[in-house]
Amino acid sequence: MKSKNSILSFCSFFLISIACIGQHSLTFDPLKYVVQTQEFQGKTVKVRSFEKIIYVANPTDTTKQILNIYVPEEYFNGGTINGYTASNAPIFFPNKVGGYMPAQPATFINAQGGGGMGGPPSQAVVMALSKGFVVASAGARGKISPIGKAPAGIVDLKAAVRYLKFNDKIMAGDADKIISNGTSAGGAMSTLLGATGNHPDYEPYLKALGAANATDDIFAVSAYCPIINLENADMAYEWQFNQIHTFKGRGGEGTLNEAATKVSDELKKAFPQYVNGLNLKDNKGAKLVLDESGEGNFKKLVKTYIVASAQKALDSGVDLSKHNFLKIENRKVKSVDFDNYLVYMERMKTPPAFDALDNKSFENNLFGTKTIENQHFTAFSMQHSTATNASMADKQQIKMMNPMNYIGDNTAKTSTHWRVRHGAKDRDTGFAVPVILATTLQNKGFKIDFALPWDKPHSGDYDLEELFDWIKELK
Ligand code: DHB
């Protein structure tokens, strides 16, 4: 009997230990920090750094599913910064996702690029802290097999938001005021966070990870050049760049051959039907459309944003006189010759820009599974695939990576406030993609501050002062 009892108690100890080993605590530990300082804009920014906090109970990658949280030291002495206190400071939530790859959280010391494909170190974290924000940055899994395929990255960031909300009472900062920020694929993540708050589609994935028992809607979105709407972005790209047959980009440079030109023509031709089906309205209530040749008031709207961008540059003293594609009279930019503007921009990608016919793009890799490395995600590329045994991604997987599917879905709590920037010289995706996002948000009653900053290539975090001013004004 004695031995039976001891076996039982050994077994229960063993089982409890297994459960404990597998489960990470989701309660924030306010004592686990180091103090760090950094000189910034002539002042010393002193913070408590809580780094590498595992934010789910059952992580699959403890090098990525981690949060860095930084809190201005003043907040532990009852201080205020910029009108904020420990209890009401908004939480700035930048991610460093680029190329849909796995990402580390952003750091206060030794900051790296803001996301996207490279770029200079971002000052977003230190600047946010200097302005009194609490900063929380989560790492996330990315498209690497077997654990990182879509929707792993967005599920991780949502889980990190849940951690912040779950611990709101014991942490500095107001988790009802989370503002996400990201660039390119990281911008896509930011828009997804904003669009899909609390949507049940993600629930099984969050549950499997042991995400904290809290909501995941966020207050506001900042996104630079979000690479979104992937299943429609090939058409948008060719609608814009169809006439440009030379390309220059990450994959090298060259001239489109006859087959590629034909693909471009077909994708361009399919775009109007997509746009017309969206039922978008301009600010006077007129339906935004394109005719069969791709002309119409939707194109006019895109050009309006380019003209506004050039006007802002001109007003700030930029010399635009060399740009023959701009018509400028009395310091007013009157119009843009779009065809010649595109010659100046240059094409970067070959058609299809995202769902590559050889099934080898970043995005094909994103839409793989545990056992299939790459998959198509558009009917067009599936039909025209040149890859052997190529398969199509699951519908639901594609849906969950596109914020456009959730804006206006009543089961999602979409952020009220949005700020989207897409460089006027960014060729990683077509202008139509962010213009459709901005217009959809406007039409559905959300607040969106949208612009195409002049001459900016594919990049982010280049106007942080303006970004933080915008956040400061949000109510
Ligand atoms: C990124 C850029 C791309 O052109 C793309 O297709 C996907 C992601 C990026 O910079 O993150």
Side-chain angles (χ1 to χ4, degrees), residues 16-17 22-23 35 79-80 85 140 176 206 241 368 413 421 464:
I16 289 165
S17 308
Q23 294 270 318
V35 172
T80 60
T85 65
D176 288 333
L206 287 157
F241 285 113
K413 187 166 179 201
R421 294 291 179 271
L464 291 171

Side-chain angles (χ1 to χ4, degrees), residues 98-100 116-117 184-185 227 250 348-349 354 362-363 428 458:
Y100 288 104
M117 308 295 288
S184 194
I227 299 288
R250 287 186 204 103
M348 186 181 124
K349 297 182 174 182
F354 297 90
F362 289 135
E363 289 78 10
D428 277 59
H458 189 61

Side-chain angles (χ1 to χ4, degrees), residues 275-341:
V275 169
N276 298 344
L278 292 173
N279 218 357
L280 298 175
K281 303 277 167 40
D282 70 11
N283 55 13
K284 297 199 177 77
K287 182 170 170 177
L288 290 162
V289 289
L290 293 173
D291 65 21
E292 270 181 25
S293 63
E295 299 296 324
N297 62 351
F298 178 80
K299 185 168 177 180
K300 276 203 186 120
L301 177 65
V302 172
K303 294 201 305 191
T304 307
Y305 284 115
I306 307 276
V307 167
S309 167
Q311 186 67 55
K312 192 170 176 199
L314 190 66
D315 293 346
S316 69
V318 178
D319 178 8
L320 299 178
S321 60
K322 64 179 176 212
H323 295 312
N324 293 331
F325 50 77
L326 292 175
K327 188 170 159 203
I328 302 175
E329 286 169 10
N330 299 325
R331 301 203 58 76
K332 289 280 166 252
V333 182
K334 297 283 184 188
S335 62
V336 57
D337 173 338
F338 202 53
D339 289 346
N340 283 319
Y341 184 75

Side-chain angles (χ1 to χ4, degrees), residues 161-302:
V161 168
R162 289 188 177 196
Y163 179 96
L164 295 173
K165 292 191 157 196
F166 181 73
N167 287 290
D168 195 25
K169 286 203 173 66
I170 51 171
M171 264 183 57
D174 180 358
D176 288 333
K177 292 274 164 67
I178 294 175
I179 302 106
S180 73
N181 182 55
T183 297
S184 194
M189 294 296 167
S190 193
T191 58
L192 275 163
L193 280 172
T196 67
N198 309 333
H199 197 280
D201 280 357
Y202 303 85
E203 203 55 46
Y205 299 86
L206 287 157
K207 219 178 202 130
L209 287 176
N213 186 13
T215 54
D216 58 55
D217 57 293
I218 59 167
F219 178 61
V221 173
S222 162
Y224 293 91
C225 49
I227 299 288
I228 56 167
N229 208 350
L230 295 171
E231 60 271 37
N232 298 299
D234 292 336
M235 294 183 288
Y237 204 84
E238 299 315 317
W239 171 69
Q240 181 170 329
F241 285 113
N242 176 259
Q243 286 303 308
I244 311 291
H245 288 191
T246 52
F247 61 92
K248 211 189 258 176
R250 287 186 204 103
E253 53 182 279
T255 306
L256 301 189
N257 62 22
E258 206 177 308
T261 307
K262 189 162 170 269
V263 168
S264 172
D265 290 348
E266 286 184 42
L267 287 166
K268 177 189 173 184
K269 217 171 131 203
F271 187 64
Q273 195 187 355
Y274 164 65
V275 169
N276 298 344
L278 292 173
N279 218 357
L280 298 175
K281 303 277 167 40
D282 70 11
N283 55 13
K284 297 199 177 77
K287 182 170 170 177
L288 290 162
V289 289
L290 293 173
D291 65 21
E292 270 181 25
S293 63
E295 299 296 324
N297 62 351
F298 178 80
K299 185 168 177 180
K300 276 203 186 120
L301 177 65
V302 172

Side-chain angles (χ1 to χ4, degrees), residues 287-432:
K287 182 170 170 177
L288 290 162
V289 289
L290 293 173
D291 65 21
E292 270 181 25
S293 63
E295 299 296 324
N297 62 351
F298 178 80
K299 185 168 177 180
K300 276 203 186 120
L301 177 65
V302 172
K303 294 201 305 191
T304 307
Y305 284 115
I306 307 276
V307 167
S309 167
Q311 186 67 55
K312 192 170 176 199
L314 190 66
D315 293 346
S316 69
V318 178
D319 178 8
L320 299 178
S321 60
K322 64 179 176 212
H323 295 312
N324 293 331
F325 50 77
L326 292 175
K327 188 170 159 203
I328 302 175
E329 286 169 10
N330 299 325
R331 301 203 58 76
K332 289 280 166 252
V333 182
K334 297 283 184 188
S335 62
V336 57
D337 173 338
F338 202 53
D339 289 346
N340 283 319
Y341 184 75
L342 296 173
V343 172
Y344 144 86
M345 278 190 86
E346 303 177 326
R347 170 197 278 270
M348 186 181 124
K349 297 182 174 182
T350 56
F354 297 90
D355 191 355
L357 297 187
D358 66 5
N359 197 22
K360 284 188 178 155
S361 69
F362 289 135
E363 289 78 10
N364 293 128
N365 198 225
L366 173 70
F367 286 112
T369 67
K370 274 194 178 121
T371 52
I372 307 170
E373 197 50 50
N374 290 11
Q375 296 196 104
H376 289 299
F377 48 93
T378 64
F380 181 91
S381 292
M382 186 66 218
Q383 276 157 20
H384 295 79
S385 185
T386 57
T388 36
N389 295 327
S391 51
M392 182 78 180
D394 172 62
K395 251 195 191 148
Q396 185 71 0
Q397 185 190 28
I398 301 170
K399 181 192 174 200
M400 282 192 285
M401 292 309 289
N402 190 351
M404 303 309 302
N405 295 322
Y406 295 89
I407 299 166
D409 175 341
N410 289 337
T411 39
K413 187 166 179 201
T414 297
S415 298
T416 309
H417 305 285
W418 295 68
R419 183 178 193 272
V420 176
R421 294 291 179 271
H422 177 101
K425 214 178 178 189
D426 189 331
R427 304 99 27 93
D428 277 59
T429 195
F431 292 132

